[in-house]
Amino acid sequence: MIDVILNTIVSGILIGGFYAACAIGLSISFGMLRIPNIAHPGFIIAGGFLTYYFNKTFGLDPLLAGLLIIPIFFAFGFLLYRGYNRFFESKRDEREGQMSALVLFFGVLMIIEALLSVTFGVDFRTVTTPWSSIVLHFGSVGICLRMAVPFLCSVLMVCILYLYFSKTYLGLVIQAVAQDSMAATLIGSDPRFAKSIAFGISFSTAAYAGTLFVCLVPVEPSLGMQFLGRVFSIAILGGLGSPLGTAVAGLIVGITESLTTAYIGSSWTLAVSFILLLIIIAVKPTGLFRR
Amino acid sequence: MSMKRFGLMLIILVVVASFSMAGGKAEGQEGSDTEPIRIGASLALTGNLGSAGKSILLAWQICLEDWNAKGGVLGRPVELVYYDDHSNASEVPGLYTKLITVDKVDFIQSPYGTPAITAAMPIAMEHGMVYPGNAALAANKEFNYKYYFSFWPLGPRQVEGIADLFFEAAMSSGEKNLTVAILSEDNEYGARVSEGALESVKKYGLKVVYNDRYPPSPATVDFTPVVRAVQNTGADLFFVGSFPQGTISIIKACKEVGYKPKLFGGAMTGVAYAANLTELGPLLNGVCACCYYVPEPTIQFGNVEDFLETYQSRAAVEGVDPLGYYNPPWAYSSMDTLLKAIEATGSLDQTVVGDYILANGWDSVVGKGAWDPAGSGEIAESRGFLVQWRGIESNDLSEFMVPGKQVIIAPEEYQSGPMLWPSPLFED
Amino acid sequence: MMKKVSFELIIPGIIVACIGLLIAKLVSGIYFFYVCYAILQMIALAAAWNILGGYTGYVNFGIGGFFAAGAYTSIVLLKYYEVNFLVAILAAGTVSGILGLLIGYLSIRVRGIYFSISTIAVSTILQMVVLNTPFLGGAKGFKIIRPPAFPPFSNYIEFLFLLILLISFFAVAVSRLIEKSWIGRSFLAIKDSEQAAETSGVATLKLKILATVVSCALMGIAGAPYPYFITLLEPYSAMGLTLGTYAFAAVFVGGRGCWFGPIIGAVLLGGLQQSVTVMISSEWNILVVGLVIIAFVLLAPNGVVGLLKGRKKPVLLKKKDRV
Amino acid sequence: MALLEMKKISKSFGFPALQNVDLSIDAGDRIGLIGPNGSGKTTLTNIITGLIACDDGQVIFENRDITKLSAHRRSRLGIARTFQIPQPFYSLIVRQNLYIPLRCRLKSEEAMFTEAGRLLDLVGLSDKADGLPSDLTQIEQRELELARALALSPRLLILDEVLAGLTSQEIDGALEILRVICESGVTVIMIEHIMKAVMGFCNKIVVLNSGMKIAEGMPEDIFRNPEVERAYLGE
């Protein structure tokens, strides 16, 4: 009995870490930069497909391939923010702009899906590695590396981001810009540059989350659209803009879903993250960990 | 500002122009003897059903090429008019109306999947079109349309019948007091499969210890909790009704939590796709699932091998499923049977052709047979069979192209080898 | 007020119905009605969304959920209880309106993207409820056989066309009625500054709830004839994101906070979607629609209406307010 | 008889923002509410207008307990305010901005049109009546704030730093307008940092510091109060 609970909770923690990796980029782009990038799940899937491509073509380990595509996504995110700022953000006031930006990124999401279908076909794709079927046993708890490795990578990612944003100069500048871009100019930093960097980071996390995704389960191009709601609700649960908060929110959702599957019925799991979200909104609208 | 206005006007112009062109496009002139005979369809070429849709399209194209190489139908070339419905059933009624009333195609083929096929059914009925179906679950149940012909190998009992194969195999082991766990995807397919399983279980007097559904991908990413819940019941038979992503993940999860039921599988779809087979590789050993074609000597119908050879050479180039064990033979047969009926009757009249197909049954690369006498539009006898994988050593595609590795264990008439009991799951 | 309602709703409604009937009699191509149905449905949804999202600034992402709530209500009543179609439509509006009330109370606590995501949450939970309720067809959904056509229609789709024509007219007329009254002005005040509106004597909570209820009820009404159009009502296609996002995008293409913006947007976007589908039979058609949406957002920030009126003028302005 | 009475008002946002504040304002008073930044002036304003609820205490307006009343009901009773950062309704033209509060007391569009014209005249915006608020300067936006507050025909008017950023000449002009308003029977609470204006205009001053009322009285007395000096200048 206790074994089942333990194993269930461990599964929940492992998948929760992966959820956090998916949501953390959104937390940065929406929480810090106020850019409602609903195309984020689309970029995650794109990252997954690129990892698959590198793995199949050059036989690279997916975790390594993921590291290779990070610079590509970073550069893309950096440039995309430049374009976004030049052609969009600077031209309208923030509140109106956010609503239009939702539609803009919806268009981007459609384009990603179309390009992926054209390039990679519409089949389910996944990456298998020598380590993915290994299962480690700790007493009665079994941990499978297919789940554990993505979890560890996510933890690493959250830690790096946390340290980056709280310890490095540029990280602190980004935080300052997030609070007040006028104030940041006073200390002599270009808010546009800081924001571009942050958006690039957000994209890098999407790329690596995609790598982890394709290691975990098969993906196909239209998955991004379907994954949207959950990623957003985790980012909000964690309090936007807080890497640690997102991690904890991911874990909470993962564990709750896992327990629901085991004890209530798997047919209700999809509702879990949303019911949690509604409860949080009723109690504390700014999310669990908003400072 | 004026640049912007100019840009906008340009966009509006393009939209309006394309709209009017679309309305007026392809108003076919009829009657001429050299004009091609046109077959219309919409298919899921994008969206979540895109994979199946694309392989069906290729099969149809091969069929039309075969006919055109032989000089066409009634001396006229055959042509395919198709649209992409984005796997979205609500686009289907409009597209079929356009095919029939605007493009004025001579015959139609169905789209792919139950929702889309059902959505186009009233249109086909209204215009009295012959309506060959491609992979729907009991689409004709409420409609009872006379000219609906389902080219799908499951027969009158549909997916519910898969459960019979699975539990029949389990009973043939001679073991008593087996317990059963049923897990299915939360969609129409899963619902029907689990209903069938409950009926079968009742028939054989087995005991159900677990019965639940899981939300379809991507809502469920991690299957270990649900598999662990099943494992916890200690069920001897684990019957699963899943779509491709679930299939892969559930098999992996079973291996990971170390759950080894005596028989595992059933109605898991996606095990006919090359991408999934190579993904799973040795993990498939001991798994039992319903298939419609495997290279075993006991199921030599029609000339399906020849077709698959052509298909496989083309599929590699076009980037669709390179094996073609699932939809393509049946899609080819669906088109082929229709064209044969036109040729045989010498008529383009829907009633004449429809009555001919109804009377003469189906006959193509998948062999021949009759229609369900009850009028459901399904084939008279199921052509699905239960396969047990064994001796798969690598993740290479060639593993799945030779006999002996995908052994048919039920029904008896197609059996190509004895069932291994208990199933040697995941053994290399 | 009653006089105004009858002038703005009933008389034009009768005229629209007559025009619709005339079209149904004159146009013989049935395909025309299918295309029109899809576009009119988008107009109705876009106009309904605009009442909440365009005027008060609360963005509802759960359009599919409220639409499907209407569709399910109507099919349950029609199939199990064999009620009159009109009753089914009213009931569909009522059920979605009650759900809208729920969303309205959410707006007390949250706004902005938080509100939007909660609407997705409500709509997903609805989907779960449908999936787990056999009475509502569960995952298998409902298969629907259309009744035979009845005079004066030669085809059932003509009847559905007339129905959705009236529904979309109704949705647009209601939003126009709101826009031209003090209620619309107060909605805009809420959008611009809820605090300032409240201290200027606007009962913001009551008005927000009014907006959500009317908006959601109209979405439900738009969903009522849908089961007969699609003939298979199942949770995934009815509640998916696609329907809603297109409606939502239509408002932005046309122009927000203005009653005819949604009409322009839905005709452009719906027309584009329909024509691209039959012209380009591959992945590229999604790409084209995506690019057009992006182009519109970049080039026409306030939609087509904004471009036509010029950026500096507010969308809502009556002639007599100017000297 | 007091127009507005506040009894033992307390409010906490995790930290105490207001503690046991008592305040009594008579009809016709011109109150200056001063205090350093973060002393609770804006919180007090929000509690009077009803935008936030107090944790403890009572608000009585014209002998009626309005503690539980919502903000829009209070504004209909005659409590009006301006915002420190102007919050005009950007989607409406300047004239229509006034229609929002005017609808509380006038029913016909014609009457609203006339009244809006009169108010815009008063604050000197009549030539901008058909423009958009986004085209107004910061100062004009404050004038619009004032006109919108006056449109409620208030009994009590709370002005949140309406004079900030004005030249001393402009301040004199603005105070002139405010005197006219007071003479028509409106009680004014003025939150202000410009001491010259406060001294010249108010007949009574209330000083807040760290959420507590530390002094209350005639202007000349207040500035001789050592506690006030400490609050402003530090120890």
Side-chain angles (χ1 to χ4, degrees):
Chain A
M1 188 60 204
I2 193 83
D3 294 353
V4 181
I5 296 181
L6 264 179
N7 270 305
T8 311
I9 291 177
V10 168
S11 302
I13 291 174
L14 295 185
I15 195 72
F18 165 68
Y19 286 164
C22 290
I24 200 159
L26 201 62
S27 184
I28 295 170
S29 64
F30 189 65
M32 290 186 182
L33 311 178
R34 310 267 185 279
I35 302 172
N37 179 11
I38 55 170
H40 191 80
F43 287 108
I44 294 180
I45 303 298
F49 269 96
L50 271 182
T51 308
Y52 167 82
Y53 173 77
F54 276 108
N55 176 269
K56 276 278 155 344
T57 321
F58 307 112
L60 285 176
D61 186 88
L63 297 178
L64 195 67
L67 290 178
L68 286 179
I69 59 172
I70 281 183
I72 307 175
F73 271 69
F74 181 84
F76 186 66
F78 189 92
L79 294 174
L80 195 74
Y81 179 76
R82 280 290 152 103
Y84 176 79
N85 181 277
R86 167 99 173 63
F87 294 107
F88 193 85
E89 201 173 44
S90 58
K91 296 202 173 167
R92 49 199 91 189
D93 76 272
E94 188 182 320
R95 209 170 33 84
E96 285 288 301
Q98 267 193 11
M99 291 220 287
S100 314
L102 282 174
V103 182
L104 184 80
F105 283 107
F106 175 62
V108 174
L109 186 57
M110 288 174 88
I111 290 178
I112 296 173
E113 188 192 329
L115 288 180
L116 286 179
S117 312
V118 171
T119 330
F120 296 101
V122 283
D123 283 329
F124 280 101
R125 300 292 184 197
T126 182
V127 170
T128 316
T129 56
W131 46 262
S132 29
S133 55
I134 298 172
V135 182
L136 304 176
H137 289 279
F138 301 92
S140 58
V141 179
I143 293 181
C144 153
L145 287 190
R146 182 172 65 98
M147 308 292 301
V149 170
F151 171 77
L152 291 176
C153 293
S154 310
V155 170
L156 202 64
M157 193 153 114
V158 171
C159 290
I160 291 173
L161 287 176
Y162 175 73
L163 290 176
Y164 181 79
F165 283 118
S166 58
K167 296 281 184 285
T168 67
Y169 177 70
L170 200 55
L172 288 169
V173 169
I174 293 171
Q175 292 251 26
V177 170
Q179 303 284 332
D180 185 353
S181 44
M182 280 302 279
T185 1
L186 294 180
I187 55 167
S189 54
D190 175 12
R192 219 155 52 95
F193 179 71
K195 284 185 170 186
S196 307
I197 295 281
F199 207 54
I201 292 173
S202 158
F203 268 60
S204 313
T205 66
Y208 213 69
T211 303
L212 306 181
F213 207 153
V214 82
C215 292
L216 271 173
V217 283
V219 295
E220 51 103 1
S222 67
L223 222 55
M225 191 96 73
Q226 304 168 40
F227 211 59
L228 191 64
R230 183 190 268 152
V231 175
F232 248 102
S233 59
I234 291 170
I236 287 182
L237 270 179
L240 291 160
S242 148
L244 288 185
T246 311
V248 176
L251 292 181
I252 291 176
V253 169
I255 294 171
T256 322
E257 280 187 355
S258 190
L259 288 172
T260 310
T261 306
Y263 295 103
I264 297 174
S266 49
S267 48
W268 286 97
T269 40
L270 184 56
V272 165
S273 55
F274 294 108
I275 291 173
L276 278 177
L277 180 76
L278 288 184
I279 293 172
I280 288 295
I281 280 175
V283 182
K284 191 166 181 291
T286 47
L288 286 171
F289 303 98
R290 182 78 169 181
R291 288 143 298 163
Chain B
M1 196 60 203
S2 64
M3 262 303 284
K4 272 189 195 167
R5 279 202 185 198
F6 178 73
L8 180 81
M9 288 306 156
L10 209 69
I11 293 170
I12 295 176
L13 253 174
V14 168
V15 171
V16 170
S18 66
F19 192 34
S20 53
M21 268 167 62
K25 195 188 107 181
E27 293 274 4
Q29 317 97 313
E30 278 181 281
S32 158
D33 282 349
T34 51
E35 277 297 311
I37 291 174
R38 299 159 79 227
I39 318 280
S42 91
L43 272 175
L45 300 175
T46 50
N48 55 346
L49 305 175
S51 171
K54 284 191 154 176
S55 63
I56 290 177
L57 180 63
L58 179 57
W60 284 350
Q61 281 165 341
I62 291 172
C63 181
L64 295 194
E65 282 159 25
D66 287 353
W67 276 87
N68 285 333
K70 286 187 291 186
V73 179
L74 304 178
R76 291 164 63 181
V78 210
E79 185 185 285
L80 187 64
V81 182
Y82 66 94
Y83 303 122
D84 176 15
D85 58 41
H86 310 118
S87 309
N88 180 2
S90 52
E91 290 189 23
V92 169
L95 289 175
Y96 274 84
T97 313
K98 175 163 165 46
L99 285 166
I100 296 169
T101 62
V102 180
D103 301 338
K104 299 204 163 56
V105 296
D106 299 294
F107 285 90
I108 55 170
Q109 277 284 349
S110 85
Y112 173 74
T114 314
I117 291 181
T118 317
M121 187 80 82
I123 320 288
M125 288 167 75
E126 244 162 56
H127 297 90
M129 303 294 277
V130 175
Y131 190 44
N134 297 286
L137 308 176
N140 207 15
K141 204 169 183 181
E142 270 90 0
F143 299 103
N144 293 315
Y145 181 44
K146 193 177 165 194
Y147 296 140
Y148 171 73
F149 304 109
S150 176
F151 284 84
W152 197 235
L154 279 169
R157 253 210 98 189
Q158 290 285 290
V159 284
E160 286 90 334
I162 298 176
D164 292 345
L165 289 175
F166 183 83
F167 292 108
E168 189 188 307
M171 292 311 284
S172 73
S173 73
E175 207 165 318
K176 295 278 178 298
N177 299 324
L178 293 167
T179 53
V180 178
I182 302 168
L183 178 67
S184 60
E185 186 152 322
D186 211 348
N187 54 21
E188 192 198 7
Y189 175 82
R192 283 186 179 280
V193 165
S194 67
E195 272 171 27
L198 286 176
E199 278 173 41
S200 269
V201 163
K202 212 168 156 192
K203 191 162 76 188
Y204 294 116
L206 301 167
K207 189 178 161 222
V208 177
V209 290
Y210 183 94
N211 183 8
D212 206 349
R213 290 157 298 147
Y214 66 87
S217 88
T220 316
V221 177
D222 179 19
F223 283 81
T224 40
V226 64
V227 169
R228 209 169 263 126
V230 175
Q231 183 188 28
N232 204 35
T233 65
D236 301 310
L237 309 176
F238 185 14
F239 181 80
V240 180
S242 57
F243 271 13
Q245 201 192 18
T247 301
I248 294 177
S249 303
I250 289 173
I251 292 177
K252 284 185 176 174
C254 265
K255 153 96 176 163
E256 283 156 15
V257 307
Y259 176 39
K260 291 193 175 179
K262 288 178 176 152
L263 203 61
F264 165 45
M268 301 199 293
T269 62
V271 286
Y273 289 126
N276 301 342
L277 289 172
T278 51
E279 160 67 21
L280 288 168
L283 278 181
L284 273 169
N285 285 330
V287 175
C288 294
C290 181
C291 289
Y292 308 136
Y293 175 81
V294 282
E296 290 292 304
T298 51
I299 48 161
Q300 301 295 332
F301 309 106
N303 44 353
V304 68
E305 259 85 24
D306 298 343
F307 163 71
L308 283 175
E309 201 175 310
T310 322
Y311 174 88
Q312 284 166 359
S313 64
R314 291 280 299 276
V317 184
E318 309 210 357
V320 300
D321 177 53
L323 270 183
Y325 288 176
Y326 193 54
N327 297 302
W330 288 90
Y332 184 96
S333 305
S334 148
M335 185 64 92
D336 195 37
T337 306
L338 177 66
L339 297 181
K340 274 181 179 151
I342 300 171
E343 185 81 6
T345 56
S347 166
L348 290 179
D349 188 85
Q350 302 290 329
T351 358
V352 175
V353 173
D355 286 335
Y356 177 87
I357 298 177
L358 196 57
N360 292 284
W362 44 280
D363 174 15
S364 183
V365 293
V366 290
K368 55 175 86 178
W371 299 106
D372 176 19
S376 66
E378 306 294 339
I379 64 173
E381 273 175 43
S382 170
R383 278 277 301 278
F385 35 78
L386 199 66
V387 162
Q388 191 174 41
W389 280 268
R390 57 186 66 164
I392 309 282
E393 282 155 4
S394 73
N395 293 61
D396 201 70
L397 189 57
S398 59
E399 294 264 359
F400 303 94
M401 298 169 91
V402 292
K405 299 208 165 181
Q406 309 177 73
V407 177
I408 299 172
I409 56 170
E412 233 168 303
E413 50 179 318
Y414 300 131
Q415 203 168 32
S416 66
M419 174 179 65
L420 300 179
W421 180 272
S423 213
L425 275 174
F426 318 125
E427 281 169 18
D428 292 334
Chain C
M1 192 66 193
M2 277 320 289
K3 200 174 161 192
K4 196 173 176 188
V5 168
S6 74
F7 269 111
E8 300 248 340
L9 278 181
I10 297 170
I11 296 170
I14 294 170
I15 296 171
V16 168
C18 292
I19 295 172
L21 269 177
L22 204 66
I23 294 173
K25 280 277 119 197
L26 290 180
V27 178
S28 55
I30 297 174
Y31 175 54
F32 172 82
F33 294 105
Y34 279 95
V35 172
C36 285
Y37 187 95
I39 293 175
L40 285 168
Q41 179 177 287
M42 203 190 274
I43 291 180
L45 284 177
W49 184 90
N50 194 31
I51 291 175
L52 181 65
Y55 299 142
T56 67
Y58 278 76
V59 175
N60 178 359
F61 266 150
I63 302 176
F66 301 101
F67 173 82
Y72 269 96
T73 309
S74 94
I75 195 61
V76 162
L77 289 177
L78 289 166
K79 196 158 181 160
Y80 291 153
Y81 305 104
E82 289 168 1
V83 299
N84 188 296
F85 217 121
L86 192 68
V87 177
I89 290 176
L90 291 178
T94 314
V95 169
S96 297
I98 291 169
L99 288 169
L101 195 69
L102 210 90
I103 293 284
Y105 277 105
L106 264 180
S107 76
I108 303 173
R109 298 204 60 102
V110 289
R111 63 189 68 172
I113 197 86
Y114 299 96
F115 176 81
S116 308
I117 300 297
S118 350
T119 57
I120 295 193
V122 169
S123 144
T124 313
I125 292 168
L126 274 183
Q127 189 180 350
M128 292 278 94
V129 169
V130 171
L131 278 171
N132 286 293
T133 314
F135 177 74
L136 296 174
K140 281 157 98 179
F142 288 109
K143 278 199 185 104
I144 298 118
I145 299 178
R146 284 185 197 152
F150 52 88
F153 306 103
S154 58
N155 190 306
Y156 200 73
I157 186 69
E158 291 175 9
F159 167 66
L160 291 177
F161 160 78
L162 188 72
L163 212 56
I164 198 77
L165 179 69
L166 282 173
I167 288 170
S168 60
F169 163 76
F170 183 66
V172 172
V174 166
S175 72
R176 184 171 181 275
L177 210 61
I178 287 175
E179 183 178 312
K180 298 288 173 198
S181 72
W182 63 272
I183 301 177
R185 232 163 27 215
S186 306
F187 281 177
L188 288 176
I190 290 173
K191 178 170 91 175
D192 291 331
S193 168
E194 223 166 306
Q195 283 194 336
E198 181 77 23
T199 51
S200 300
V202 176
T204 52
L205 178 60
K206 258 189 221 158
L207 284 175
K208 281 192 296 188
I209 288 176
L210 177 75
T212 51
V213 169
V214 170
S215 168
C216 295
L218 286 174
M219 288 175 192
I221 290 174
Y226 183 72
Y228 283 87
F229 174 74
I230 189 74
T231 65
L232 174 70
L233 186 67
E234 48 98 27
Y236 294 109
S237 53
M239 295 186 168
L241 277 172
T242 331
L243 264 176
T245 12
Y246 270 110
F248 170 69
V251 182
F252 276 78
V253 168
R256 270 159 299 155
C258 165
W259 63 273
F260 55 91
I263 304 180
I264 298 178
V267 169
L268 279 178
L269 201 62
L272 178 81
Q273 186 202 9
Q274 295 285 332
S275 53
V276 156
T277 304
V278 297
M279 283 173 64
I280 315 167
S281 302
S282 71
E283 298 85 352
W284 298 102
N285 61 23
I286 307 185
L287 194 77
V288 170
V289 176
L291 283 174
V292 169
I293 288 177
I294 291 178
F296 265 103
V297 174
L298 289 179
L299 295 177
N302 292 318
V304 179
V305 173
L307 277 197
L308 295 179
K309 285 202 161 189
R311 199 183 64 80
K312 282 289 170 191
K313 288 173 200 156
V315 175
L316 181 131
L317 186 62
K318 277 192 252 178
K319 280 207 185 78
K320 69 173 174 205
D321 286 341
R322 284 182 173 266
V323 185
Chain D
M1 183 201 80
L3 177 75
L4 176 81
E5 236 178 311
M6 306 190 76
K7 293 179 181 162
K8 299 217 171 301
I9 299 289
S10 293
K11 176 74 193 176
S12 155
F13 297 111
F15 59 93
L18 285 178
Q19 295 173 53
N20 285 329
V21 174
D22 287 303
L23 192 63
S24 175
I25 295 166
D26 291 329
D29 266 350
R30 300 185 299 275
I31 308 284
L33 185 59
I34 63 171
N37 282 332
S39 60
K41 297 178 305 245
T42 303
T43 308
L44 190 67
T45 316
N46 284 341
I47 287 174
I48 298 174
T49 50
L51 282 180
I52 57 177
C54 53
D55 298 339
D56 224 348
Q58 248 187 332
V59 185
I60 293 163
F61 185 70
E62 293 188 313
N63 279 341
R64 184 176 163 191
D65 186 350
I66 58 166
T67 319
K68 297 255 180 312
L69 222 53
S70 64
H72 69 272
R73 290 198 178 281
R74 294 189 199 191
S75 65
R76 287 176 189 186
L77 289 178
I79 300 179
R81 71 170 290 180
T82 65
F83 288 91
Q84 188 180 352
I85 299 161
Q87 300 189 9
F89 304 128
Y90 288 104
S91 311
L92 304 171
I93 58 167
V94 169
R95 188 197 313 282
Q96 284 174 330
N97 263 267
L98 302 190
Y99 284 16
I100 299 289
L102 282 174
R103 219 200 76 88
C104 299
R105 54 193 181 94
L106 302 172
K107 289 300 161 215
S108 85
E109 298 263 329
E110 284 73 25
M112 295 203 298
F113 183 88
T114 327
E115 181 68 6
R118 191 184 68 80
L119 288 166
L120 290 173
D121 249 353
L122 181 69
V123 298
L125 277 179
S126 36
D127 53 331
K128 302 273 171 72
D130 295 322
L132 277 177
S134 48
D135 296 334
L136 299 181
T137 64
Q138 189 72 14
I139 292 165
E140 285 169 335
Q141 287 196 354
R142 282 215 204 101
E143 288 168 347
L144 175 59
E145 282 278 309
L146 181 62
R148 194 173 65 190
L150 289 173
L152 282 167
S153 167
R155 305 272 295 119
L156 174 68
L157 174 63
I158 305 170
L159 303 168
D160 201 345
E161 296 195 25
V162 280
L163 304 177
L166 300 191
T167 63
S168 80
Q169 243 175 346
E170 285 166 337
I171 289 177
D172 290 341
L175 287 179
E176 206 45 55
I177 298 175
L178 292 181
R179 283 203 185 91
V180 172
I181 293 167
C182 286
E183 272 154 31
S184 67
V186 181
T187 307
V188 172
I189 300 177
M190 180 192 254
I191 300 176
E192 203 55 72
H193 282 303
I194 302 166
M195 284 310 144
K196 193 186 114 198
V198 179
M199 298 285 284
F201 180 75
C202 300
N203 67 348
K204 187 173 160 188
I205 288 180
V206 176
V207 189
L208 283 182
N209 188 26
S210 310
M212 277 177 288
K213 188 172 84 176
I214 55 170
E216 180 176 5
M218 307 282 283
E220 45 275 20
D221 298 337
I222 286 294
F223 288 94
R224 275 184 245 116
N225 187 326
E227 219 175 328
V228 175
E229 217 166 290
R230 253 204 312 281
Y232 268 91
L233 301 173
E235 297 293 338

